[in-house]
Amino acid sequence: MSERIVVVGYGMAGARLAAELHARGGNHSVTVLGAEPHRAYNRIMLSTLLAGRIGEPDVELVEAIGPGVGVRTGAAVTAVDRAAREVVTDDGERHGYDHLVLATGSRAVVPPLPGLAPLPERVVPFRTLGDCRRILAAAEGARRVIVLGGGLLGLEAARGLAARGLDVTVVHPVGHLMERQLDPPAGAVLAGTLAGLGVRSRLGVPATAVTADADGVRLHLGDAEPLDADLLVLCCGVRPDTALAAAAGLAVERGVVVDDRMRTSDRRISAIGDCAQHDGTLTGLVAPAWAQARVVADVLTGADPLARYRPRPAVTRLKAAGIDLAAMGDVAGTGDPDGPVEELTFADPARGTYARLRIRDERLTGAILLGDNPAVGTVVQLFDRGAPVPADRRSLLLGRAFGEMPAGPAASPALMPDAATVCRCNDVSKGALVACWRAGARTAAALSAATRAATGCGSCRDAVAGIAGWLAEADPSTTDEVRETVEVGS
């Protein structure tokens, strides 16, 4: 008898788990229940959709699932009956399981401000594809937009809306943007870059209330004049969706508590992605969610019963038109042990450039790179692998690094080690891309299809294209084949 696996949630984590289970085969059936009425989509690309650079079909996830995997959209799970091993959907259907996986994600935080309960028509959180549709509909007749929240998501939304020609103001209660990832000088340079792109910033001012009517929306600010706009977009953070787990009696803290095998306090129930709390930590990023999906698939199918989730250091990337930012590690040094630390900083606000490196024992413990810096790929690799930094620190700080990812004409993928990670979201190395090239994947698109590289946050897309170009030049025998492929597809 086949094992019944039920996955609650058809977002980036749930869809990837279904694909990983299908890829491993085995004697099991998989049912995926998604509350949203559409197919799984790449949430990271929603800001690009806001900007009008892509359409809805471009954000849809194309995961390889087939026989043995059933997907139901528009089916919200309302209860888990652990005694009967069943889940109940909002239409009354019951689905039995031998193992249940919660991939319920997180929900947008709506701040407890007067005027936001219930949400006025001109106020929209930015989290889901449905939210994106509502924002775009409201933006059709709008001229001015306020984005409340100057974190990563808020800035992506602001840049996307500004790209549509809207007058955008970001309001943030902290004195500088992206305070979780950036120091104040970097935040100031970023604010200057955004201003040049049509996005103003109001910093260090708390929002106190919202009033809205058919003519517009007003955001009231502490000790400052209120701001008027046609649309208010809420980007005030997210909160893990743990309601289902808590109601079922599972151990819940900030998220659903899981062990190294992603099992909850009930060994027949796992949790992955934004809703899961591993070793006291929430993720909120796609790379760890997909790594967790691989672990659960290995354990449930028996492909690797001893698989364990081991988190990697997080790297935050903000890549929008006119903005290139990478932040990683602890630049404040709050987690450093006692001992000597090297601090290197370079700032050129006029050019929108800022770089800061924190080095201990010849290894990077934190870094911020903002603006056009060809060394960003090398810095990420050094941080990721814990490798020694070069003796010439300026090569990293000013962008003249050796062994750089293909970010500029002087850089060559030939200098990258095969073990270098090109796509962090899917854990794809340069060696894996080379192997797929030799197996017949002779274009960047083919390499992405074979390895999933560049299908997550997309920040490695240029690197994958650069490696494909380098391989084509390094192997002249494939030049005609590549040209033929391009001509046929053009």
Side-chain angles (χ1 to χ4, degrees):
M1 182 177 179
S2 65
E3 183 175 61
R4 300 166 301 170
I5 301 173
V6 172
V7 181
V8 178
Y10 190 38
M12 297 185 75
R16 175 55 60 91
L17 175 59
E20 296 284 357
L21 290 168
H22 172 69
R24 285 159 179 74
N27 189 27
H28 56 260
S29 63
V30 181
T31 300
V32 184
L33 303 171
E36 294 187 66
H38 29 250
R39 289 183 54 85
Y41 54 89
N42 188 335
R43 192 176 65 241
I44 302 170
M45 300 301 293
L46 291 182
S47 59
T48 310
L49 180 61
L50 273 187
R53 293 169 55 197
I54 58 175
E56 281 196 17
D58 300 308
V59 304
E60 186 174 296
L61 287 176
V62 183
E63 294 285 7
I65 57 177
V69 178
V71 176
R72 278 201 61 197
T73 57
V77 174
T78 57
V80 177
D81 186 339
R82 292 168 58 191
R85 293 182 193 160
E86 292 180 331
V87 297
V88 184
T89 57
D90 55 358
D91 58 5
E93 283 197 6
R94 303 179 75 92
H95 298 263
Y97 68 84
D98 297 302
H99 197 91
L100 174 66
V101 183
L102 300 178
T104 49
S106 54
R107 294 182 180 273
V109 171
V110 176
L113 297 177
L116 289 185
L119 280 178
E121 183 179 349
R122 291 178 177 271
V123 180
V124 187
F126 181 41
R127 177 64 180 171
T128 67
L129 179 57
D131 295 335
C132 194
R133 289 171 175 170
R134 287 190 288 275
I135 292 171
L136 289 174
E140 282 293 325
R143 292 187 300 107
R144 296 170 299 171
V145 179
I146 300 170
V147 176
L148 183 57
L152 179 64
L153 186 63
L155 299 187
E156 289 180 338
R159 182 66 189 105
L161 290 167
R164 287 183 172 269
L166 295 169
D167 183 346
V168 181
T169 300
V170 173
V171 176
H172 194 51
V174 183
H176 68 281
L177 298 170
M178 290 183 65
E179 73 280 358
R180 292 187 179 182
Q181 294 88 14
L182 304 184
D183 56 15
V189 173
L190 179 57
T193 299
L194 287 167
L197 297 171
V199 177
R200 290 188 296 273
S201 301
R202 292 287 298 274
L203 305 174
V205 288
T208 58
V210 174
T211 55
D213 56 28
D215 295 325
V217 59
R218 170 169 288 185
L219 182 66
H220 299 268
L221 306 174
D223 299 327
E225 289 293 319
L227 293 176
D228 294 319
D230 303 300
L231 171 66
L232 172 61
V233 179
L234 301 179
C235 298
C236 303
V238 296
R239 184 173 294 121
D241 192 347
T242 60
L244 198 62
L250 300 177
V252 173
E253 294 175 0
R254 291 184 300 154
V256 184
V257 178
V258 296
D259 61 14
D260 288 351
R261 299 172 73 183
M262 306 311 297
R263 298 177 303 185
T264 68
S265 53
D266 183 334
R267 292 299 181 259
R268 288 188 176 271
I269 303 178
S270 300
I272 61 173
D274 287 6
C275 70
Q277 177 182 319
H278 174 266
D279 197 23
T281 302
L282 302 172
T283 60
L285 299 172
V286 64
W290 285 353
Q292 292 167 1
R294 290 192 293 270
V295 169
V296 171
D298 282 340
V299 171
L300 293 184
T301 62
D304 183 2
L306 301 179
R308 298 290 187 272
Y309 172 62
R310 294 289 181 262
R312 296 173 61 181
V315 176
T316 300
R317 295 299 303 267
L318 173 57
K319 282 184 73 70
I323 305 173
D324 193 349
L325 168 67
M328 62 211 79
D330 180 17
V331 293
T334 55
D336 280 347
D338 293 335
V341 175
E342 288 184 68
E343 290 269 8
L344 296 91
T345 304
F346 171 78
D348 186 353
R351 295 179 179 271
T353 300
Y354 179 86
R356 180 179 177 185
L357 306 177
R358 188 175 178 86
I359 301 170
R360 177 182 295 279
D361 297 329
E362 297 298 308
R363 284 161 174 79
L364 280 171
T365 61
I368 299 171
L369 297 174
L370 174 60
D372 184 15
N373 188 326
V376 62
T378 295
V379 171
V380 172
Q381 293 291 337
L382 291 172
F383 176 76
D384 214 21
R385 304 201 309 268
V389 298
D392 181 9
R393 314 299 204 228
R394 294 172 301 174
S395 65
L396 299 180
L397 200 64
L398 304 178
R400 295 193 302 270
F402 298 100
E404 170 58 85
M405 301 260 276
S412 171
L415 301 176
M416 293 172 59
D418 281 350
T421 302
V422 177
C423 176
R424 287 176 54 88
C425 292
N426 291 288
D427 196 20
V428 181
S429 67
K430 172 199 167 185
L433 292 169
V434 172
C436 284
W437 174 275
R438 290 172 177 164
R442 298 299 169 83
T443 65
L447 289 174
S448 291
T451 64
R452 291 177 170 153
T455 62
C457 71
S459 64
C460 66
R461 190 172 290 112
D462 290 344
V464 174
I467 289 173
W470 162 68
L471 287 167
E473 292 179 4
D475 186 359
S477 65
T478 66
T479 302
D480 291 339
E481 179 180 343
V482 173
R483 184 180 298 114
E484 180 180 347
T485 301
V486 172
E487 289 173 352
V488 170
S490 59

